[in-house]
Amino acid sequence: MTKSAPHTKSDARPPERRKAPLRDALHVALETYFKNLDGDQPCDLYQMVLSEIEPPMLQTVMKYTGGNQSRAAEILGVNRSTLRKKLAQYGLG
């Protein structure tokens, strides 16, 4: 099992003791995706998943921070210029 960082600054529980709704939802979504391929070969799966999860994540964090990019970048663990680039990439900025 891989170690993951705490979900909040105060969440130091081991990963196996945390609930994992995002992980579980992604697992179910990918299983469904593979079942629905009907024999076709998937390609660029990594990029496809990122392009599906990044926009709603960015929108939700920006809403949570009231549009404060500095706070959003801190919450996301990226620098502000990376956040601005991602917002522009998805037409969210």
Side-chain angles (χ1 to χ4, degrees), residues 14-92:
E16 63 274 5
R17 302 255 350 249
R18 290 186 218 130
K19 292 182 180 181
L22 292 174
R23 182 183 300 239
D24 294 344
L26 181 58
H27 179 76
V28 169
L30 287 172
E31 288 291 328
T32 301
Y33 172 76
F34 287 127
K35 285 179 189 173
N36 291 334
L37 283 176
D38 197 29
D40 289 335
Q41 181 67 30
C43 66
D44 287 336
L45 180 64
Y46 183 79
Q47 189 57 46
M48 181 195 74
V49 170
L50 286 180
S51 69
E52 290 291 322
I53 64 169
E54 279 186 326
M57 177 179 62
L58 295 169
Q59 288 172 315
T60 304
V61 172
M62 290 302 295
K63 182 178 178 183
Y64 177 77
T65 64
N68 185 315
Q69 290 185 1
S70 294
R71 282 190 57 219
E74 183 179 341
I75 289 169
L76 291 165
V78 299
N79 65 48
R80 212 169 66 228
S81 65
T82 298
L83 175 60
R84 283 195 303 267
K85 182 179 102 177
K86 290 291 185 180
L87 291 171
Q89 175 183 343
Y90 295 112
L92 301 173

